[in-house]
Amino acid sequence: MAIAKMSKLKLISFQDHKEAILKELQSLQSVELIDMSAEYAEVQAMSSGRREQLEIQSKTLEDKYNQYRDQLNFLIQYLPQPKLLQKLRTPKQALSLQELEEGVAAINQHEVLEKIEGSRKLLRENEQALGNLLEEEAFLSKWEKLNYVPFESHNLKHLTMLTGTVPQSDSDSFIRTIRDSGLFYIEEIFQTRDEYGISIVYDHTDENEARKNLDENHFSPLDYPFSQIPELELKRVAGDREKLLQENKAVKEQLKTMRNEEQALQLMIEDAYAELQRVRGQQLIVDERHLFVLEGWLEESKLADMRDILEQRLESADYAIIVDDVQEEEISRVPIVLKNSKFVAPFENITAMYSLPKYNEMDPTPFLMPFYLLFFGMMMADAGYGLLMFLATGAALKFFHMNKAMNKNILFFHLLSYPTIIWGLIYGSFFGLELPFMLLSTMDDVNTILLLSVVFGVVQILLGLGLKAYLLFRDKDVLGAISDGVGWIVIFVGLIVLIIASMVFPNAFLATIGQGIAIAGVIAILLATTLASKNKGLGFGLGLYNLYGITGYVGDIVSYTRLMALGVSGSSIALAFNMIIDFLPTPARFTVGILLFIVLHLINIGLSLLSAYVHGARLIFVEFFGKFYEGGGKALDPLRTSEEYIELKNNYNG
């Protein structure tokens, strides 16, 4: 229930063992390699030639990885995909790194890629040919009435026959010119919005005048690239298109059978990614002619696993390993691994959304978890919605096989279903229907719910201040702990006693005690701030300014009223939806009404989930974390595999 203790290891071994060691560290998936040339300015990690070689190798592997992914993405378009439920219920294949490499070695990669690329190339060429045929068809369809091949008309002895187009804007004047001149015989072939297709015949003796008239009216001769008349060419186009479509259909049917190729590509992708990570890892270590040195971060609890790896693979004389504890100057560079119980771990996502803690901070996850559960349930607050979440997430956890991150998220919402049900029972709400029993009514007890929201907020703020005081005491900053933590806790306690003695159980003596406690807190803050400053006058001024922060605490407390507002609004919306259905005639309630009930409540569930998730996190981040938590840590980024298509198995603990 804390930040995992990390160790810094340094490993020295012979070049012959480098690849094997990197593979075993990758199998462990817990070692983050340190860039030694960046860590030690005086260290020359490797020769420029060796670095260039690794960069080329890395680029080659990256290209190979992208090529495999591209081919797989193409193939998936045509493979029949399993139904979503079937896909979720099918576990990934579990392979060790060695088994993965053996599986890839058994694949004829060239044949797999050639087979898929051949089909892809043929489809691409056919699609281009179909596009060309479409253009030809559009052209020929316009000239379909043309009953001769234009270039053959040039062979007439005494007449000139031309085929072409005139812009639609000039067609009227062109027709008038023809009618007035008596030089031409014209036959209309087609008309469109933009142009006018015609066939013109005139005598050879009128060539000059005819050409002049044609040029003046922007006549464009037809460039006809076909050997047959348009009608016959259209039949040829239709036949060619049908042939290409049948060929495409056959190729796609063949692609549908390439399930083995899909699995082969998945293994190739996993293997290429793993190899790429190892090559990138080599760029971080120090390379000598016969030896290499690597440094990395590893959880202390997994040191035994790593030692077992080395003992199994190498003789003791073949390597040296040095393990150091984290030094003070390394705090900011130590990667973070959070270690919490199964039921607290899902809430690490909330912490990570804000920022992981630094190595010398505390993990706030165990402290935020109960409040997030409480707040989420109070804002969602419907037993029916909670039951639906419980059943859906419970079924997913039991019957579906998901990756670790998704499984963690599903468990997160499964845990949130419990407080949702509890608060739904407290409010007596089940899909907006009023239960026969309730502790609080969202209609009649709004003020009580508002008071509870404020009480929960004050408790969380006090915990945040208490954690702040603890951290400062831990760091031997006693005056800081008093001014930033203990003093404010005392003020809050005094004010709480004063409010209770004045408004809940009137008692003048108790009210006086509350006033005294609050004043003691004020004095403690002023004294601690003054004593902590070298300039006592300035310190006293800072203390007064610190006390001005009471306005911020008032704003924080008001923020918790959203717990009441969102809970009541969600319940009211659900109730309004049910009233709409009640207005329907009796027959409609059990037909359209059922469908309407499902749709409307699904909408309300979605809105309530989003609101509770976002505003619950906001209360944690601003009102709680703002009191004691800084963050700024970075997650461990180990040498690992992608595990996108397989689940990596090993024989190590942890």
Side-chain angles (χ1 to χ4, degrees):
M1 197 175 75
I3 301 171
K5 188 173 182 180
M6 304 297 291
S7 294
K8 187 176 184 181
L9 62 93
K10 181 178 291 184
L11 189 149
I12 306 171
S13 186
F14 295 105
Q15 287 286 347
D16 294 343
H17 302 309
K18 179 167 60 179
E19 181 65 16
I21 288 175
L22 286 174
K23 285 181 182 179
E24 295 300 336
L25 294 182
Q26 191 173 42
S27 294
L28 188 59
Q29 302 198 95
S30 298
V31 178
E32 178 179 325
L33 296 179
I34 296 172
D35 186 352
M36 296 184 67
S37 61
E39 181 83 357
Y40 306 103
E42 71 279 3
V43 171
Q44 179 63 40
M46 61 188 69
S47 66
S48 57
R50 175 59 177 159
R51 180 168 294 281
E52 184 178 350
Q53 180 185 358
L54 286 175
E55 288 174 354
I56 293 172
Q57 192 176 352
S58 176
K59 182 66 170 62
T60 301
L61 284 169
E62 189 174 353
D63 291 342
K64 184 189 294 187
Y65 171 78
N66 291 331
Q67 179 192 10
Y68 295 164
R69 290 204 67 88
D70 183 50
Q71 296 287 40
L72 180 61
N73 290 335
F74 165 76
L75 182 58
I76 285 174
Q77 298 176 67
Y78 303 100
L79 284 171
Q81 295 301 311
K83 294 181 179 179
L84 179 61
L85 289 179
Q86 179 186 350
K87 189 174 181 180
L88 290 173
R89 296 187 67 179
T90 305
K92 291 180 181 178
Q93 184 181 11
L95 296 173
S96 66
L97 199 56
Q98 182 179 352
E99 290 170 338
L100 173 62
E101 291 180 339
E102 291 171 355
V104 172
I107 297 170
N108 188 333
Q109 298 187 33
H110 178 75
E111 181 180 327
V112 170
L113 295 173
E114 192 69 26
K115 189 175 181 180
I116 297 173
E117 184 56 35
S119 299
R120 188 176 188 178
K121 183 179 179 182
L122 184 57
L123 285 176
R124 187 165 52 241
E125 290 174 349
N126 285 355
E127 290 300 324
Q128 185 175 355
L130 285 169
N132 293 337
L133 288 176
L134 186 63
E135 292 178 4
E136 290 180 7
E137 183 180 40
F139 173 82
L140 291 166
S141 295
K142 291 193 299 185
W143 296 97
E144 189 173 5
K145 293 181 180 180
L146 194 65
N147 55 9
Y148 62 89
V149 179
F151 62 79
E152 294 178 352
S153 65
H154 294 296
N155 298 325
L156 299 176
K157 187 173 181 180
H158 300 291
L159 299 174
T160 298
M161 181 180 289
L162 296 177
T163 306
T165 60
V166 175
Q168 191 66 258
S169 59
D170 296 333
S171 61
D172 291 340
S173 62
F174 184 60
I175 297 299
R176 285 196 302 272
T177 300
I178 291 172
R179 187 184 301 115
D180 296 339
S181 68
L183 297 175
F184 304 99
Y185 168 78
I186 183 170
E187 182 179 352
E188 177 185 331
I189 308 298
F190 72 87
Q191 278 198 65
T192 67
R193 186 180 63 181
D194 301 318
E195 58 185 1
Y196 185 51
I198 55 176
S199 180
I200 298 175
V201 180
Y202 58 87
D203 193 285
H204 284 331
T205 58
D206 299 322
E207 180 74 25
N208 292 334
E209 187 176 353
R211 287 289 182 180
K212 180 181 178 183
N213 286 331
L214 292 174
D215 291 342
E216 287 176 351
N217 289 278
H218 305 98
F219 175 81
S220 297
L222 172 65
D223 180 14
Y224 190 79
F226 304 103
S227 59
Q228 302 182 89
I229 63 173
E231 182 180 359
L232 296 178
E233 289 292 344
L234 281 170
K235 292 180 180 179
R236 189 264 308 167
V237 167
D240 290 349
R241 180 170 56 220
E242 183 61 27
K243 181 181 177 182
L244 288 171
L245 290 174
Q246 290 299 323
E247 191 173 12
N248 278 357
K249 183 179 179 181
V251 172
K252 291 175 182 178
E253 288 297 325
Q254 183 185 22
L255 287 168
K256 288 180 181 179
T257 66
M258 293 188 184
R259 186 66 65 186
N260 291 336
E261 283 74 13
E262 178 196 26
Q263 295 171 357
L265 279 172
Q266 289 174 347
L267 294 182
M268 290 158 62
I269 288 170
E270 287 282 353
D271 183 63
Y273 181 88
E275 188 177 357
L276 175 61
Q277 297 311 305
R278 293 196 297 272
V279 170
R280 288 175 174 172
Q282 288 188 48
Q283 294 176 300
L284 306 179
I285 67 181
V286 172
D287 252 342
E288 297 293 343
R289 184 173 180 182
H290 301 292
L291 300 173
F292 75 91
V293 183
L294 68 78
E295 281 192 354
W297 298 106
L298 177 67
E299 294 172 57
E300 188 180 73
S301 61
K302 295 187 177 182
L303 281 171
D305 292 336
M306 199 196 70
R307 293 185 188 278
D308 288 342
I309 293 173
L310 297 175
E311 290 173 3
Q312 291 171 18
R313 300 293 182 267
L314 303 173
E315 298 293 332
S316 58
D318 289 338
Y319 71 92
I321 183 169
I322 303 170
V323 178
D324 292 324
D325 292 330
V326 176
Q327 303 301 312
E328 186 68 30
E329 64 273 10
E330 296 173 326
I331 293 293
S332 61
R333 300 195 297 273
V334 181
I336 303 301
V337 177
L338 301 181
K339 285 291 186 182
N340 290 293
S341 68
K342 176 183 177 181
F343 299 109
V344 176
F347 293 85
E348 292 171 357
N349 291 334
I350 301 296
T351 301
M353 281 174 58
Y354 183 84
S355 179
L356 289 175
K358 293 179 182 176
Y359 189 67
N360 59 344
E361 284 189 300
M362 66 166 58
D363 177 12
T365 309
F367 301 103
L368 75 85
M369 174 197 170
F371 287 104
Y372 196 89
L373 286 168
L374 176 67
F375 296 163
F376 188 95
M378 196 172 181
M379 286 185 279
M380 196 77 176
D382 186 283
Y385 294 173
L387 182 61
L388 196 60
M389 286 174 59
F390 172 82
L391 294 175
T393 55
L397 291 170
K398 184 173 180 61
F399 299 111
F400 296 161
H401 296 274
M402 297 165 287
N403 60 44
K404 296 173 185 176
M406 179 59 71
N407 201 70
K408 195 173 182 180
N409 286 330
I410 296 296
L411 179 58
F412 173 72
F413 284 102
H414 182 73
L415 294 173
L416 291 174
S417 69
Y418 294 95
T420 302
I421 293 173
I422 292 171
W423 276 101
L425 295 175
I426 291 172
Y427 288 169
S429 177
F430 188 87
F431 288 106
L433 302 173
E434 189 173 297
L435 295 173
F437 54 86
M438 66 177 67
L439 294 178
L440 294 171
S441 169
T442 54
M443 296 298 173
D444 303 326
D445 300 317
V446 174
N447 288 336
T448 303
I449 297 172
L450 178 63
L451 180 61
L452 276 176
S453 302
V454 171
V455 169
F456 293 147
V458 170
V459 171
Q460 188 181 46
I461 290 173
L462 287 174
L463 176 61
L465 291 171
L467 292 173
K468 176 71 171 181
Y470 164 77
L471 292 172
L472 291 171
F473 278 127
R474 184 196 66 179
D475 296 337
K476 305 295 190 293
D477 186 1
V478 176
L479 294 175
I482 294 172
S483 63
D484 293 336
V486 175
W488 285 108
I489 293 174
V490 172
I491 291 174
F492 268 103
V493 171
L495 292 176
I496 291 170
V497 172
L498 178 60
I499 291 171
I500 292 174
S502 301
M503 303 177 63
V504 183
F505 303 109
N507 186 305
F509 178 71
L510 196 60
T512 303
I513 291 176
Q515 289 178 352
I517 294 173
I519 292 171
V522 170
I523 294 171
I525 290 174
L526 290 173
L527 285 175
T529 309
T530 303
L531 292 174
S533 177
K534 292 181 179 179
N535 186 324
K536 304 308 177 185
L538 178 61
F540 184 78
L542 290 174
L544 291 174
Y545 181 77
N546 192 4
L547 289 171
Y548 181 72
I550 190 69
T551 57
Y553 285 105
V554 171
D556 291 342
I557 292 171
V558 170
S559 293
Y560 288 94
T561 59
R562 72 187 65 220
L563 298 175
M564 175 276 297
L566 290 172
V568 170
S569 65
S571 175
S572 300
I573 292 172
L575 180 62
F577 286 161
N578 293 338
M579 290 176 64
I580 292 172
I581 297 169
D582 283 340
F583 288 143
L584 297 173
T586 301
R589 291 182 198 170
F590 298 98
T591 52
V592 178
I594 293 175
L595 179 61
L596 201 59
F597 181 89
I598 293 171
V599 172
L600 292 177
H601 280 286
L602 283 177
I603 292 173
N604 196 34
I605 289 173
L607 293 174
S608 298
L609 271 172
L610 181 62
S611 296
Y613 180 79
V614 171
H615 290 289
R618 185 201 176 281
L619 289 173
I620 296 294
F621 294 162
V622 179
E623 276 68 40
F624 186 51
F625 281 179
K627 304 298 177 292
F628 72 97
Y629 184 60
E630 180 180 351
K634 68 179 186 71
L636 182 76
D637 183 19
L639 179 64
R640 53 168 300 154
T641 60
S642 70
E643 292 190 281
E644 185 176 357
Y645 303 108
I646 67 165
E647 183 176 337
L648 191 69
K649 65 179 182 180
N650 57 50
N651 300 318
Y652 318 125
N653 299 320

